[in-house]
Amino acid sequence: QVQLVESGGGLVQPGGSLRLSCAASGSIFSISVMGWYRQAPGKQRELVAAVTRGGNRNYADSVKGRFTISRDNPKNTVYLQMNSLEPEDTAVYYCNMKLSTRRSEYEYSYWGQGTQVTVSS
């Protein structure tokens, strides 16, 4: 079984920083894409940042220049460094990975359970 465990969320003041981590475990063969999504109350879930196996990165316009996504392939871990946080960043952040297992060549998307990020003074 594949499991994604998130950590690093919490309460922070505007202008502060947080670093989210997401580690995958299980019979993983390969991870092609790692990403972070977020969902604020009353809003749809949106892509925040993603990084491919080749190292290409994509960011939502609202976080570009403030957030940085990175991955540690040997550890099956993805990070999201969040700087200059704003109240609008308040949401539940979900880790997502598109990966294949030892039993199947097909890739599936797996989700973390989510971690709350609250930006407030």
Side-chain angles (χ1 to χ4, degrees):
Q1 294 181 330
V2 176
Q3 184 179 12
L4 273 57
V5 179
E6 302 180 29
S7 63
L11 175 65
V12 65
Q13 296 186 87
S17 299
L18 285 174
R19 184 173 184 259
L20 305 182
S21 299
C22 179
S25 62
S27 57
I28 300 170
F29 179 76
S30 179
I31 305 175
S32 62
V33 183
M34 297 180 176
W36 291 93
Y37 293 74
R38 69 185 181 186
Q39 187 167 22
K43 300 187 67 176
Q44 295 182 340
R45 186 173 300 185
E46 64 175 350
L47 176 66
V48 177
V51 58
T52 67
R53 181 186 296 134
N56 293 323
R57 295 171 171 85
N58 290 306
Y59 297 94
D61 290 339
S62 59
V63 307
K64 195 169 299 182
R66 300 186 297 119
F67 291 10
T68 302
I69 188 171
S70 61
R71 62 187 290 173
D72 188 333
N73 291 332
K75 297 182 179 179
N76 293 331
T77 300
V78 63
Y79 306 93
L80 185 66
Q81 179 66 46
M82 304 184 293
N83 298 326
S84 302
L85 284 163
E86 304 169 351
E88 292 75 19
D89 297 317
T90 297
V92 177
Y93 284 71
Y94 296 91
C95 173
N96 175 266
M97 297 188 188
K98 186 178 181 181
L99 58 86
S100 62
T101 65
R102 298 175 184 176
R103 293 188 175 185
S104 177
E105 66 178 357
Y106 295 100
E107 292 186 325
Y108 299 90
S109 290
Y110 292 84
W111 293 89
Q113 296 184 5
T115 183
Q116 177 70 48
V117 172
T118 302
V119 185
S120 177
S121 60

